[in-house]
Amino acid sequence: MDFSKLAMTEIRRNSTRTIVGVITCALAAMIVVLIRVVPEGYNVGVALPERTFSGGDILIFPAQAPLSSSETNMLTWRNWQGSDWQSHLLYYFKDTAKTGYLAEEACAGWRAMIPRELIEQLASIPNIRRISAYRSVPCIVGTDRGTVHAFLRGFDLEGHPIEPHLTEDPEKHPPFTRKDELEGIAPNVGRPFSSIEVGDVISITVPKVVVYRTASPSGLVPQLAVDWEGARSYRFVVSQKYAIQVGEETDAAAGAASPGPPPSIPIYWERPEFLVPMDVFEGILAELGALTAHEATGLASGDFDLDFPTYQLAVTVDRSSKIRETSRLIREALGSDYGVYPVAEARSHMASHVVMPPDMHTVYAALIIGFAAVVVAGNTYISVAQQKRKLGLLRVIGATSKNIVQYILTLVAYVSASGTFYGIAAGNLLYLITLIGSDMTLKEWLIQALGDFGKIMGLSVGLSLAIGFGIAWWASRLSCAEVLSHE
Amino acid sequence: MNKRTGPIISCHEISKFYPVGDGLFALRDVELEVPEGAFVVIMGPSGSGKTTLLNILGGIDRPTHGEVILKGRKFSRLSEDDLAMLRRTEIGMVFQFFNLFPELTAVENIGLPMRLAGYDDDAITQRTTELLEAVRLLDRMKHYPSELSGGEQQRVAICRALATRPAVVLADEPTGNLDSARSREIMGLFAKFNKEENQTFIIASHDRSFLEYADIVVRIVDGEIAERSDRHGTLI
């Protein structure tokens, strides 16, 4: 028995209720498609600034920052006892210094990581172009205007290029070309750097970096510290300057003074990192005895890049459209002793403290679709309550309980399936916009859209039918005599 | 009357009790045997239990006590779904207010019980055409109930009740909502199918015009059978 015509005519007769159900399902499906974009979907050109100063697309820290997570209740809080120069953790997750970080009971916690060990663990993950370590040491910059605390950073020139962010003409002032003097690129923001010019000579006092071991729940772990008693000063020529714009804000004062919309003023990354080539950085650390101390840790190799401890690794990917997937694979490979964050996710947290933890995406999707399913079920209940007489009549002419259930579930399935279809289609068409500037191909978009039709449609229709089944079962139990007696 | 012997449907000691207030017996110890092909008219004042009796005979209500037997099958041993399946092929029902499905056309309404019973499209087409011809509504087969008059709707309802050639057709005040001319039309149809197809009818009605066709007249008062007679009033 085909109840589709009865169901379709019922759907058409109650068009308002049908439209409410369809629109609810459509909106739910569209939101589920689009929240996948947040916070990871970002234009490649927009992402470049963060990727430059972070050194890559995905950051790995030796601890999990306090983002909400479905696994939070399995983790414990620990006081963060690191230092600001060790990584960009505090730049992205400012609260960590106050609130601490999350770790499992048996995890090592905040410690320096050996790049080689992680690179080996991540060797089989696709889409990873390279993994580089963040190298920096606190320093004191001296100019004729005074001294200031800053960071001397060994900059990975093969990572993301600094050229787009140089403030002076690179043809006139090519960086890192001097052979007989130390040179570096100074930030163009903050005091005193904003008043330093290309060609100025500055002194940088660098402390000795000490590698030692501390106890942790999982045993002895390496840590880095600085020893100012072993400090040494170096003369650097400022060969270029850089400014990395990370956002904009409204200039309220200028807006108040003139008609029209207030202008925007750029916001620059203000972490005072003086950039030097990595080999220069390595040389300075070696001169100060850091590599000797590194050998004392018992590490097998003297390769600075691979074996010197670090508190931040940056993964550069081949395809930015695969960042979320790559991050997930890295998390799975490394486990809960590490925090793994796409730069966009970390940046969103920094800006708004609102971020979609990756494991919560599925939960939110289920909740949103569940809400839509409840709306559809509610509409169905109203529809059934108004159709009691008709259902009684169906029973009179021979419909069994199974037939009644089939009829009502047909109603539910039509509304949820059609609404979800429209929502997935609309969501994926909107998602196409994010392809502009992204390296996701049309074929990958199509595969993703088809996957959505399978997963989201299955979840939506499945949930609606599951909830609708209760209503259908109730309807199949209605007494014919009772409903027909009210003529 | 050309009737086969043996009851096609019977009810024994049927009682229906409603525990409202001090309790109410809608039916009390009703006994009835209906031979195949009989035209039975149940008469009685409003509230006498006619509709309750028809509902119980049709299996859409359960008696508090007693048994209904249709072609040897005892209703007490059947589940609700079993009764529903029995109604597909053995029981047709006609109501005072027609009770057609407004979203289906006349022919679709008539074919619905056949679809439930699993008839194929050809059989459905043949039977619905035959019935619509018999009630002179072939040209209105694709009309919706809202496009039909009251008499036409009731004719469609009768066709629906007869679609699967049921053992018995139960009609509850089938002319209650029609004028006298349409009522005579409907009565004529019942008589036609009773005579030509040996269809068994059990009709509950105030309309004394039905007595003209009745083989058995049952008068029911306050839930009890007061009298059984033929159409001339001779007690049986």
Side-chain angles (χ1 to χ4, degrees):
Chain A
M1 171 73 197
D2 178 13
F3 282 96
S4 52
K5 177 159 183 183
L6 269 179
M8 286 308 293
T9 49
E10 177 61 26
I11 284 168
R12 277 196 293 271
R13 260 182 0 137
N14 292 286
S15 54
T16 304
R17 202 159 49 228
T18 302
I19 286 169
V20 166
V22 168
I23 288 177
T24 305
C25 287
L27 281 175
M30 194 168 74
I31 290 170
V32 168
V33 170
L34 293 176
I35 58 175
R36 174 181 39 224
V37 174
V38 177
E40 180 171 333
Y42 53 90
N43 185 289
V44 169
V46 168
L48 272 178
E50 288 87 358
R51 293 154 98 193
T52 298
F53 70 69
S54 292
D57 304 307
I58 301 171
L59 303 177
I60 303 174
F61 299 113
Q64 294 197 41
L67 297 181
S68 62
S69 163
S70 61
E71 295 176 354
T72 299
N73 58 350
M74 294 164 56
L75 306 176
T76 57
W77 286 100
R78 293 193 196 172
N79 291 329
W80 184 74
Q81 289 165 334
S83 298
D84 188 24
W85 59 269
Q86 292 172 341
S87 72
H88 291 153
L89 182 81
L90 290 189
Y91 174 79
Y92 290 113
F93 306 108
K94 284 188 178 49
D95 294 340
T96 307
K98 270 193 310 191
T99 62
Y101 63 96
L102 292 163
E104 283 188 14
E105 290 278 349
C107 281
W110 188 256
R111 72 220 172 270
M113 306 176 284
I114 308 300
R116 184 188 294 274
E117 291 171 3
L118 271 74
I119 290 170
E120 282 170 4
Q121 286 185 68
L122 305 179
S124 61
I125 294 176
N127 196 37
I128 292 180
R129 185 188 302 168
R130 62 196 309 271
I131 301 174
S132 54
Y134 175 74
R135 303 290 185 198
S136 118
V137 64
C139 64
I140 298 172
V141 174
T143 70
D144 55 3
R145 295 167 189 84
T147 59
V148 66
H149 287 273
F151 305 104
L152 181 72
R153 178 175 172 185
F155 193 72
D156 181 5
L157 291 171
E158 292 179 40
H160 296 275
I162 191 68
E163 278 78 11
H165 309 288
L166 298 177
T167 59
E168 307 301 317
D169 183 352
E171 287 193 6
K172 276 195 197 162
H173 307 286
F176 302 140
T177 53
R178 289 176 168 77
K179 298 219 186 317
D180 49 355
E181 340 178 64
L182 293 175
E183 61 171 316
I185 306 178
N188 199 30
V189 291
R191 294 174 58 205
F193 295 107
S194 54
S195 51
I196 292 174
E197 293 180 4
V198 171
D200 284 356
V201 175
I202 60 175
S203 80
I204 297 186
T205 304
V206 184
K208 179 179 175 178
V209 175
V210 177
V211 181
Y212 65 102
R213 290 185 172 237
T214 56
S216 80
S218 66
L220 292 177
V221 292
Q223 300 284 8
L224 296 177
V226 293
D227 178 5
W228 286 99
E229 287 191 11
R232 193 180 290 191
S233 289
Y234 297 85
R235 283 167 49 87
F236 279 88
V237 173
V238 177
S239 61
Q240 257 290 0
K241 299 189 76 184
Y242 72 90
I244 301 179
Q245 183 176 344
V246 295
E248 287 183 339
E249 65 180 6
T250 306
D251 188 344
S258 60
S264 299
I265 50 175
I267 302 171
Y268 295 102
W269 186 43
E270 290 190 353
R271 184 173 164 88
E273 292 185 348
F274 186 81
L275 310 180
V276 299
M278 195 64 83
D279 57 342
V280 170
F281 183 86
E282 180 183 348
I284 291 174
L285 257 57
E287 272 190 24
L288 291 167
L291 287 180
T292 304
H294 145 71
E295 287 165 8
T297 64
L299 296 170
S301 165
D303 188 316
F304 180 78
D305 278 343
L306 294 174
D307 298 304
F308 197 79
T310 180
Y311 290 90
Q312 175 178 316
L313 286 168
V315 175
T316 302
V317 298
D318 290 314
R319 305 274 308 280
S320 65
S321 56
K322 299 283 189 191
I323 280 182
R324 183 180 285 279
E325 174 66 10
T326 308
S327 301
R328 185 185 65 79
L329 292 172
I330 294 173
R331 280 191 193 97
E332 278 176 10
L334 298 182
S336 57
D337 211 2
Y338 297 86
V340 180
Y341 308 97
V343 167
E345 184 179 313
R347 188 164 175 272
S348 288
H349 180 267
M350 182 183 79
S352 64
H353 293 270
V354 173
V355 75
M356 179 72 68
D359 55 341
M360 292 303 284
H361 178 262
T362 307
V363 173
Y364 290 143
L367 285 173
I368 292 167
I369 289 177
F371 170 75
V374 167
V375 170
V376 170
N379 277 351
T380 306
Y381 175 80
I382 294 170
S383 176
V384 166
Q386 291 179 342
Q387 289 185 78
K388 275 189 190 177
R389 187 169 186 73
K390 178 170 160 181
L391 296 173
L393 200 52
L394 279 172
R395 292 286 264 165
V396 166
I397 63 171
T400 60
S401 312
K402 185 177 162 189
N403 296 141
I404 301 294
V405 168
Q406 183 188 349
Y407 166 68
I408 292 168
L409 291 184
T410 303
L411 282 177
V412 170
Y414 268 122
V415 172
S416 67
S418 57
T420 304
F421 176 87
Y422 296 136
I424 294 172
N428 275 285
L429 284 173
L430 286 172
Y431 198 93
L432 262 180
I433 296 172
T434 67
L435 289 191
I436 300 168
S438 163
D439 54 17
M440 184 184 223
T441 64
L442 267 177
K443 182 181 170 188
E444 285 170 341
W445 170 83
L446 195 61
I447 292 170
Q448 178 181 278
L450 289 173
D452 282 343
F453 277 108
K455 286 182 285 194
I456 300 175
M457 181 72 80
L459 182 63
S460 175
V461 174
L463 268 176
S464 296
L465 288 176
I467 300 174
F469 183 81
I471 298 167
W473 187 87
W474 162 72
S476 71
R477 295 286 179 276
L478 290 171
S479 156
C480 301
E482 196 182 310
V483 299
L484 289 174
S485 67
H486 300 290
E487 291 207 52
Chain B
M1 58 183 163
N2 299 322
K3 307 289 183 271
R4 289 183 234 170
T5 56
I8 194 160
I9 186 169
S10 60
C11 57
H12 306 282
E13 294 181 5
I14 291 291
S15 295
K16 180 72 180 179
F17 178 76
Y18 294 103
V20 286
D22 293 334
L24 168 71
F25 272 98
L27 292 173
R28 195 194 295 265
D29 293 326
V30 170
E31 294 274 345
L32 183 65
E33 284 190 356
V34 178
E36 188 177 353
F39 195 110
V40 179
V41 176
I42 300 175
M43 305 207 80
S46 292
S48 58
K50 302 189 299 296
T51 298
T52 306
L53 178 59
L54 280 190
N55 287 346
I56 289 172
L57 287 173
I60 60 176
D61 197 1
R62 298 269 192 188
T64 313
H65 177 73
E67 183 66 82
V68 177
I69 303 172
L70 173 66
K71 290 173 81 172
R73 295 182 73 181
K74 292 185 179 177
F75 282 16
S76 61
R77 293 192 182 159
L78 301 179
S79 67
E80 292 301 322
D81 279 351
D82 291 335
L83 287 171
M85 286 193 282
L86 191 70
R87 283 194 294 273
R88 286 179 188 177
T89 54
E90 303 294 358
I91 301 173
M93 296 198 75
V94 181
F95 301 92
Q96 179 177 354
F97 291 100
F98 327 131
N99 281 336
L100 298 176
F101 292 99
E103 58 270 78
L104 301 180
T105 61
V107 66
E108 287 168 342
N109 265 284
I110 295 168
L112 194 54
M114 298 181 77
R115 290 206 180 275
L116 278 168
Y119 285 64
D120 61 50
D121 288 349
D122 288 340
I124 293 172
T125 304
Q126 187 185 346
R127 180 62 175 161
T128 52
T129 305
E130 180 185 306
L131 286 167
L132 283 164
E133 265 178 357
V135 302
R136 300 188 316 277
L137 281 178
L138 201 55
D139 57 335
R140 308 297 294 269
M141 64 191 292
K142 295 220 167 121
H143 285 69
Y144 290 93
S146 58
E147 297 166 338
L148 302 173
S149 69
E152 289 169 339
Q153 289 186 58
Q154 194 63 299
R155 280 187 268 166
V156 171
I158 292 170
C159 290
R160 183 179 66 186
L162 292 167
T164 55
R165 292 192 172 86
V168 60
V169 171
L170 307 170
D172 189 5
E173 300 286 359
T175 59
N177 211 32
L178 302 173
D179 59 37
S180 54
R182 303 289 86 77
S183 295
R184 278 195 295 278
E185 236 178 51
I186 297 304
M187 279 179 236
L189 279 174
F190 281 133
K192 173 186 158 86
F193 284 110
N194 173 248
K195 185 176 171 186
E196 291 177 7
E197 297 195 3
N198 203 32
Q199 180 66 56
T200 306
F201 285 98
I202 301 175
I203 298 165
S205 180
H206 289 110
D207 193 337
R208 297 186 67 81
S209 306
F210 273 113
L211 295 178
E212 180 186 334
Y213 309 99
D215 299 314
I216 299 171
V217 178
V218 176
R219 292 187 203 282
I220 187 167
V221 178
D222 291 336
E224 292 184 29
I225 291 185
E227 183 184 281
R228 272 188 209 81
S229 63
D230 63 12
R231 71 177 73 128
H232 304 298
T234 305
L235 294 180
I236 55 176

